[in-house]
Amino acid sequence: MKAIVQPTKKYYKILFFETHHVNATAIIELIDTPKGIRPSHYRMRRGSGSGYRNLPTRDLVIHLRRAKVRLTCPDGPFEAFLHDLQIPFTYVELCRFCLMEDRIAELDRDLAIMYGEDEWICLPCARKELRRELAHMGRLGRNALSHLDELLDKYRSVDRVLATIEPGEHSFDHTLYDRLIAHPVVETSRLDELPLPRQFVDLANVESLMPVQQIAVEAGLLYGKDLLVVAATASGKTFIGEMAGFKNFLEKRGRMIFLVPLVALAFQKYDRFAKKYGKIAEISIITGTSRIQISDNRRPGNRDRGASIIIATYEGVDHLLRCGMKLHDIGTVVIDEVQMLEDKERGHRVDGLIARMKFNSPKAQFLYLSATIGHPTLLAKKLSCELVRYGERPVTLERYLVFLERQQKIPTEKKLVQDEYNKVSSKGFHNQTIIFTNSRARCHVISDKLGEGVAPYHAGLTQEERRHVENQFEKGEIRAVVTTAALAAGVDFPASQVIFDSLAMGIEWLTVQEFQQMSGRAGRPDYHDLGKVVILAEPGGSYSRSSRMTEEEVAMGLLKGEMGEVAPVYTLEQSSEIYVANAVVAAGDRNIMKKIEESLVGEPEPVEDLLLQRNLVFREGGTIRLTPLSRLMAEHFIGVERLTRIIDLVKETKDPLEILAELDCATDEEAALLQRQSGRQAELHGSLLEKRKKRPVKRHR
């Protein structure tokens, strides 16, 4: 038997136990007598249900002589008492919280948890104390609590873990989630050693290749190979397209089309290409037509479709094809941000555009670029190209996770932005920040609260306003931009720090792919020494009634999650839009339409019979004849359901603004129907994937 002696302010508590099971608990007091220190008021209880009863003090001596006595800390009076009775003792370090509940937990400093400045407690008690401290924050999800438990096990300090919840009261460094280390410097080829035209090498302003560029060259980039290039942001993917495109053009194998998802990004690349390569090639830009025709929406630029190098948005080029135009003499097609195939609203259009471009330019070299693709090997097979994958980052990235209440977000952002801007990198640049949030209105709220030197940036601003913000950021004149998640695949702001004010896009949670794309904006090798990503997650926070997930649970899923396979499943609306667009490009030839459809990554629904029933198309032997309405569907990117809705609205009113309002503002009932349809499609998605895995991989040119 063992006896644990714990001094308190008024008495001594003694626990008698075998192994870890407490058999009895005793309380005694010590008094100073002429014979020395002696016990008085000896009381004991056995078990947990009974009360204390008085015992003779001689029983204490008997009990102590039969036990191995251990003191929880040095204590002069009790040690003198034991010496007088010649009772041996040792010291033991136990968890104080366990002792308060009559439990024995001997502490091992390698496993114990620091509590406060100088106390150690056991791990179970540390977890209890941590949860007690978190009670004011409301409900924390299971994943978030598991993360905090992992931090306890890692840092061995309750206070340090609490720093992830209250960073203002602790060192912010304690909120570090993980660190993604930059790649080591490796030796690569010099540009002038490669089989590239001299005119291009002289203007490229590149001495040696970056690692992913070296891998692409070794994979056949300069010999016409189609490639899917997956590498981190700022790793040099754009220059891969430049090398192939200018080589093919200057060696008379055709012009280059460089496709991007957003107008702002298209103009940014257009300006850079024109400035850099304008002496050896004509650079032009093609973007979609603005719905609202005002002068500010028509940014100046060369828009010649016959130019040597064309920078274009997806929809800009696709609109030309959908109108029946041909793009001649194309030698290189670069699809930047190809992960947009997974976008719910635009993925089918990107997929259809790629298939139609393959038909339009069957001899062209196709290059697909992305920083975030799940299962890229599978996508490369679907696109019939070679995979070039480089997983290292050019700049080390630190990711921080902070749990805090919503009202604490903006004050925390203000401090983070200012602290980051006060730092100057070894390249001589002030560190700047991108803050991602879920709505345009929130962009303005945050920028107003953060004050001077912080600007909102979103699609609701005019072209002139956006250009002004872009120029200010590029010159280092502003500390931060506050934007919506759409910028993740947009303008190339050289930021060192990315802050997630929200983990939603509108009312929908971000996907792992979107999150990684946005995170990749932090840290540019030409500007910064380090990239930072800070997630501000609100425990219990949500942006949608339809989702049970809360923000801190989403945060853990995004940090630990893996991207899924790029395998779009198209709706009837999207499938009908693809069908009529393919019919225009194929001039109605059903065999060609079938060939284009076989090039798709996704699998559209069969819609030909439906369109025939509604007299939107007619079949004449092996040819599909389009009606004016179906041509309108193709040219204006709409499907059969939206067309039907427009026809019904035209019968009700002749006011175009009223029709537009009805189309863009769905009723609650329509929104609920769309939500149910989305749920059913998600259920079907798994079975479709299983079927697809059993099919042989399609290979096309």
Side-chain angles (χ1 to χ4, degrees), residues 266-276 299-300:
F267 271 105
Q268 193 174 52
K269 290 195 181 296
Y270 166 73
D271 291 340
R272 192 173 69 79
F273 274 46
K275 182 178 180 180
K276 192 174 181 181
R299 183 170 171 177

Side-chain angles (χ1 to χ4, degrees), residues 262-288:
L262 297 178
V263 173
L265 184 56
F267 271 105
Q268 193 174 52
K269 290 195 181 296
Y270 166 73
D271 291 340
R272 192 173 69 79
F273 274 46
K275 182 178 180 180
K276 192 174 181 181
Y277 302 115
K279 294 180 180 179
I280 60 173
E282 181 188 4
I283 315 296
S284 73
I285 185 166
I286 298 175
T287 59

Side-chain angles (χ1 to χ4, degrees), residues 37 225 274 352 361 436 495 520 553 559 569 631 667 669 680 699:
I37 303 296
K225 285 284 189 179
S361 307
F436 286 113
E553 292 176 319
L559 287 166
V569 178
R631 288 189 179 277
T667 64
E669 290 79 7
R680 287 196 294 270
R699 289 194 172 273

Side-chain angles (χ1 to χ4, degrees), residues 574-687:
Q574 295 166 341
S575 300
S576 59
E577 180 190 330
I578 286 176
Y579 179 90
V580 292
N582 292 346
V584 171
V585 172
D589 188 316
R590 295 184 73 205
N591 290 328
I592 295 177
M593 289 173 63
K594 183 178 180 181
K595 182 179 179 181
I596 294 174
E597 186 173 314
E598 288 174 348
S599 297
L600 294 171
V601 173
E603 295 185 5
E605 296 182 17
V607 294
E608 185 175 294
D609 289 343
L610 174 64
L611 295 175
L612 288 168
Q613 291 171 10
R614 299 195 181 185
N615 297 320
L616 291 171
V617 301
F618 295 95
R619 191 161 52 205
E620 297 176 351
T623 303
I624 292 294
R625 183 166 61 84
L626 298 177
T627 66
L629 280 178
S630 56
R631 288 189 179 277
L632 183 146
M633 288 170 59
E635 293 176 14
H636 293 274
F637 298 83
I638 59 177
V640 64
E641 293 174 337
R642 192 167 181 83
L643 177 69
T644 302
R645 179 67 174 144
I646 292 171
I647 293 172
D648 291 341
L649 288 171
V650 169
K651 295 176 182 178
E652 297 174 10
T653 177
K654 301 301 181 184
D655 186 346
L657 291 179
E658 189 174 334
I659 293 173
L660 182 63
E662 286 289 338
L663 289 171
D664 286 350
C665 303
T667 64
D668 291 342
E669 290 79 7
E670 289 170 331
L673 176 61
L674 289 173
Q675 183 69 33
R676 289 195 296 272
Q677 291 174 341
S678 175
R680 287 196 294 270
Q681 289 163 11
E683 291 175 3
L684 291 171
H685 186 71
S687 59

Side-chain angles (χ1 to χ4, degrees), residues 40 51 72 364:
S40 70
T72 60

Side-chain angles (χ1 to χ4, degrees), residues 41 46 80 85 149 172-173 190 262 307 316 398 412 429 438 454 456 583 612 621 640 663:
H41 299 93
R46 298 186 181 276
L85 298 177
D149 288 343
F172 200 85
D173 291 340
R190 291 175 55 85
L262 297 178
E398 293 181 347
T412 302
F429 294 95
N438 70 312
V454 178
L612 288 168
V640 64
L663 289 171

Side-chain angles (χ1 to χ4, degrees), residues 150-406:
E150 289 173 7
L151 292 183
L152 266 182
D153 190 56
K154 178 180 179 181
Y155 295 133
R156 300 289 167 186
S157 169
V158 173
D159 285 355
R160 188 165 182 184
V161 175
L162 286 174
T164 65
I165 292 99
E166 300 168 343
E169 300 178 13
H170 304 270
S171 169
F172 200 85
D173 291 340
H174 292 170
T175 66
L176 180 66
Y177 179 81
D178 61 10
R179 181 181 285 106
L180 308 180
I181 305 299
H183 64 75
V185 177
V186 295
E187 187 175 346
T188 58
S189 301
R190 291 175 55 85
L191 202 64
D192 56 14
E193 298 173 342
L194 300 175
L196 289 166
R198 189 70 238 179
Q199 310 102 295
F200 172 76
V201 174
D202 291 342
L203 296 176
N205 195 30
V206 172
E207 184 175 330
S208 298
L209 297 180
M210 296 178 72
V212 70
Q213 297 163 359
Q214 179 74 37
I215 298 172
V217 167
E218 293 171 357
L221 173 73
L222 303 182
Y223 296 96
K225 285 284 189 179
D226 293 353
L227 303 177
L228 168 61
V229 182
V230 181
T233 302
S235 59
K237 296 187 296 297
T238 296
F239 191 66
I240 291 173
E242 293 174 34
M243 285 191 287
F246 278 93
K247 178 179 172 66
N248 289 334
F249 165 66
L250 293 171
E251 295 178 354
K252 311 300 183 185
R253 281 188 292 275
R255 303 180 294 147
M256 173 170 71
I257 292 183
F258 199 112
L259 294 164
V260 297
L262 297 178
V263 173
L265 184 56
F267 271 105
Q268 193 174 52
K269 290 195 181 296
Y270 166 73
D271 291 340
R272 192 173 69 79
F273 274 46
K275 182 178 180 180
K276 192 174 181 181
Y277 302 115
K279 294 180 180 179
I280 60 173
E282 181 188 4
I283 315 296
S284 73
I285 185 166
I286 298 175
T287 59
T289 305
S290 175
R291 294 179 182 178
I292 303 176
Q293 295 299 328
I294 57 177
S295 59
D296 185 58
N297 284 340
R298 188 68 174 176
R299 183 170 171 177
N302 177 18
R303 298 176 186 273
D304 182 5
R305 295 197 296 270
S308 314
I309 308 297
I310 300 173
I311 311 298
T313 58
Y314 302 152
E315 285 81 2
V317 165
D318 202 8
H319 183 258
L320 298 179
L321 298 176
R322 287 164 178 255
C323 290
M325 300 180 189
K326 300 252 183 216
L327 292 167
H328 299 286
D329 191 29
I330 303 300
T332 312
V333 179
V334 181
I335 299 95
D336 198 10
E337 311 291 356
V338 74
Q339 76 280 351
M340 290 295 292
L341 283 166
E342 278 286 84
D343 188 86
K344 292 180 181 179
E345 295 183 1
R346 300 172 69 194
H348 67 290
R349 292 173 184 163
V350 180
D351 195 8
L353 170 61
I354 293 172
R356 290 186 283 275
M357 284 298 300
K358 285 182 176 180
F359 170 73
N360 181 89
S361 307
K363 295 182 179 180
Q365 180 180 10
F366 279 77
L367 301 173
Y368 311 91
L369 312 179
S370 178
T372 51
I373 286 289
H375 303 285
T377 303
L378 295 177
L379 181 60
K381 289 180 180 179
K382 293 176 182 179
L383 293 171
S384 301
C385 64
E386 298 295 321
L387 173 63
V388 170
R389 187 176 189 180
Y390 185 68
E392 304 294 336
R393 286 188 53 81
V395 176
T396 295
L397 184 69
E398 293 181 347
R399 303 196 298 178
Y400 295 82
L401 175 59
V402 185
F403 296 132
L404 76 179
E405 295 171 345
R406 187 172 179 81

